[in-house]
Amino acid sequence: MAHNAIGWYRAQLGDHSEAIEACRQGLALLREFDGRHGEAATWDTLGYAQHRAGRPAEAVPSYRHALALYREFRDRYYEADPLGHLADALLDAGEAAQARRSWQAALRILDDLGHPDAERVRRRLVETG
C-alpha cells in the first residue's frame, strides 16, 4: 500500500510519471503477495494519475480493473468511487453516453447507502446534462 500512497501523493503534486511508476511497482508487489484490496486501490490511483497526465483513454482500463476488483469484494462504496472516476475519464475521452451510465450506476449505489457523495455525483450528471 505504500506504493499506492506514494502514487497518490505524486499525482496530487503533478508528478504524473512518477505516480504511474510507483503504482506499477506497487501492483507488481501486491500481485506477488495476493494483496487484492490494495491492488484495487492502486489500480484506481493509477487511473487517476493517467487521467491527470492527460491520458484519459489509458485511465479507463485502469479504473475498470479497480472496479472489477471492488465488485469481487462486494464493497459497494468502493465500487461507487471508481465508477465516478471512470465516468470522468470517459467524458474526457469523448464517451459522454458511457460516462453518464457510469455516473448513474455510482449514484444508485451512493443513494442506496445514503452516502453524502451522492449529491456530488448528481451535480456531475446535471452539469453534463
Side-chain angles (χ1 to χ4, degrees):
M1 291 297 286
H3 283 88
N4 180 46
I6 291 168
W8 175 253
Y9 289 112
R10 285 297 198 193
Q12 293 292 307
L13 293 170
D15 298 332
H16 301 113
S17 61
E18 289 186 32
I20 290 167
E21 181 58 29
C23 289
R24 289 190 174 138
Q25 289 174 8
L27 287 169
L29 287 170
L30 288 162
R31 276 187 224 113
E32 185 177 330
F33 294 103
D34 197 30
R36 302 287 282 165
H37 205 279
E39 190 178 337
T42 304
W43 276 108
D44 191 49
T45 299
L46 177 60
Y48 180 85
Q50 291 165 324
H51 189 188
R52 295 302 175 263
R55 302 190 314 246
E58 286 180 34
V60 167
S62 296
Y63 287 137
R64 285 188 172 142
H65 203 95
L67 179 59
L69 290 169
Y70 282 127
R71 283 181 173 157
E72 280 181 28
F73 309 134
R74 292 179 166 76
D75 189 331
R76 300 212 58 225
Y77 172 74
Y78 285 105
E79 183 180 334
D81 203 35
L83 275 167
H85 298 157
L86 173 61
D88 292 337
L90 286 165
L91 183 67
D92 289 347
E95 301 291 340
Q98 285 185 44
R100 288 190 61 75
R101 284 191 294 274
S102 188
W103 278 317
Q104 288 166 342
L107 182 57
R108 279 190 299 275
I109 292 167
L110 294 169
D111 276 342
D112 286 350
L113 296 173
H115 198 283
D117 284 353
E119 192 53 42
R120 177 183 47 81
V121 174
R122 196 172 280 107
R123 278 194 308 270
R124 289 294 285 153
L125 279 163
V126 169
E127 290 168 359
T128 59

